Amino acid sequence: MSNDQIFYPAARFAIGEVVRHRMLDFRGVVFDVDPEFANSEEWYEAIPEEIRPAKEQPFYHLLAENSESSYIAYVSQQNLLPDEENGEVDHPAIDGLFDGFAKGRYRLRPQHRH
């Protein structure tokens, strides 16, 4: 094993889990996970340096909502917490990806492959 090998933390949240942002006022449902940062450098550099997260951690794609709108968010693991509301997320894309909500989580819709 080489000394320059990097070990990334395991994902804490699973697809279908509802999470809340640690600092910003929004919540969302996880629909994809990147084991490390996989967005553009431009996106990353746009985050103020004093709150910019490390790239070497899982990043989550969320169907997100706040009090004004629904949108897609890309958030580092360090900035997410489990959602305490245990309620559904109001996002128009949920029905296309998930098949029901129970016990605080969404069930991923089965994919049909031909």
Side-chain angles (χ1 to χ4, degrees), residues 13-19 27-32 61-65 70 83 85-110:
F13 305 105
I15 291 174
E17 198 165 343
V18 179
V19 293
R27 57 196 288 271
V29 58
V30 175
F31 71 91
D32 198 9
H61 299 262
L62 307 177
L63 298 177
E65 67 170 353
S70 57
D83 183 61
E85 282 184 33
N86 293 323
E88 295 185 50
V89 173
D90 184 20
H91 194 286
I94 285 179
D95 288 340
L97 292 173
F98 297 100
D99 186 24
F101 180 80
K103 298 181 183 172
R105 307 182 67 114
Y106 285 90
R107 281 188 314 276
L108 196 57
R109 221 176 246 297

Side-chain angles (χ1 to χ4, degrees), residues 7-88:
F7 293 97
Y8 298 100
R12 276 190 217 134
F13 305 105
I15 291 174
E17 198 165 343
V18 179
V19 293
R20 176 171 295 286
H21 196 280
R22 181 183 301 276
M23 295 179 284
L24 305 175
D25 188 25
F26 73 86
R27 57 196 288 271
V29 58
V30 175
F31 71 91
D32 198 9
V33 182
D34 294 332
E36 63 183 80
F37 179 78
N39 207 332
S40 71
E41 198 59 31
E42 180 182 39
W43 183 92
Y44 187 74
E45 293 295 327
I47 300 169
E49 194 170 348
E50 62 274 6
I51 62 167
R52 193 176 297 153
K55 290 182 176 180
E56 298 80 16
Q57 63 180 312
F59 276 73
Y60 298 83
H61 299 262
L62 307 177
L63 298 177
E65 67 170 353
N66 62 26
S67 60
E68 294 145 24
S69 66
S70 57
Y71 52 95
I72 304 261
Y74 190 65
V75 185
S76 64
Q77 181 161 279
Q78 76 186 52
N79 285 323
L80 290 177
L81 299 166
D83 183 61
E84 302 296 327
E85 282 184 33
N86 293 323
E88 295 185 50

